[in-house]
Amino acid sequence: VGKYILESTYNDFKVLTAFEVKPGEVTKIHVVMGQTGSVAISTSEIENGKWVKASGSLFKEDGDRMDGFRTGKDKPATYQLPAGKYYVKMSYNSIEKKVPFEVKPGEETKLHIVMGQTGVAESSASEKEGGKWIHAGGYVYPLDDDGEKGKWITQIITSKNKLDSDRLPVGKYVAELEYNNFEKDVIFEI
């Protein structure tokens, strides 16, 4: 006997329902949780290209982060969600995208995100042309159309016996390398 609150959860719904239990009576409680739909998220470098693995975060429209996930090469990341508006922030080899989407009741939203093309930069260093490889380190910065460098996006650490390899978005870059007291800038393009 008394007044109570029932807290019900279903997917990302949370509903509080007030009810009262009276002596000698059966109290029936029916909770309407809300409608859901689903989203299937996939990524590729180019339109109609092979799917690639990318990291993402799922957000409600108001900016509340819900979950982190990875898309796959052969199946999408899927979520059952309350009907409403959302967005994802995707990251793939230094490429970042923010994409809004809507989940409709009883429907599956297919969200395919074209991240952009990439290529591979392989790095080695030596003291002289054709010399033995040496251990050197530095950072890679993107260059804009005016040749201004942006925020560093990856670190290079060359080795004496193998190439350093990084997958980068298509564009122009500068690698700033250091070895002992030597510094060298190398401009390259993917």
Side-chain angles (χ1 to χ4, degrees), residues 26 67 93 96 124 146 159:
V26 174
D67 200 7
N93 294 310
E96 295 186 356
S124 63
D146 298 325
S159 168

Side-chain angles (χ1 to χ4, degrees), residues 41 43 52-57 68-73 75-79 90-92:
I41 305 166
T43 50
V52 296
K53 290 181 181 180
S55 299
S57 293
F69 64 93
R70 287 189 56 83
T71 59
K73 288 184 175 184
K75 69 178 194 174
T78 58
Y79 286 94
M90 298 300 303
S91 178
Y92 172 72

Side-chain angles (χ1 to χ4, degrees), residues 59-187:
F59 294 85
K60 294 179 183 176
E61 183 181 39
D62 64 9
D64 284 347
R65 185 177 186 276
M66 298 173 65
D67 200 7
F69 64 93
R70 287 189 56 83
T71 59
K73 288 184 175 184
D74 56 356
K75 69 178 194 174
T78 58
Y79 286 94
Q80 184 80 20
L81 298 168
K85 294 185 178 185
Y86 302 87
Y87 66 92
V88 292
K89 285 185 179 177
M90 298 300 303
S91 178
Y92 172 72
N93 294 310
S94 302
I95 301 172
E96 295 186 356
K97 294 213 171 172
K98 178 180 174 181
V99 180
F101 66 95
E102 184 172 358
V103 172
K104 296 182 179 176
E107 294 182 16
E108 179 181 62
T109 300
K110 292 186 186 256
L111 183 62
H112 182 76
I113 303 167
V114 177
M115 297 301 296
Q117 289 185 288
T118 64
V120 175
E122 294 182 331
S123 308
S124 63
S126 62
E127 288 184 355
K128 62 181 184 173
E129 190 68 40
K132 290 183 180 181
W133 288 357
I134 58 173
H135 180 77
Y139 296 92
V140 174
Y141 301 85
L143 295 175
D144 66 15
D145 292 337
D146 298 325
E148 298 292 320
K149 73 179 186 182
K151 180 183 168 190
W152 74 275
I153 59 172
T154 191
Q155 186 175 18
I156 293 177
I157 301 174
T158 65
S159 168
K160 292 180 179 183
N161 55 11
K162 71 176 189 169
L163 291 169
D164 185 20
S165 178
D166 289 291
R167 181 165 288 280
L168 299 169
V170 169
K172 290 185 179 179
Y173 298 89
V174 61
E176 295 182 351
L177 296 169
E178 294 181 8
Y179 168 70
N180 293 336
N181 290 322
F182 294 103
E183 293 180 7
K184 178 130 185 171
D185 292 352
V186 179
I187 295 175

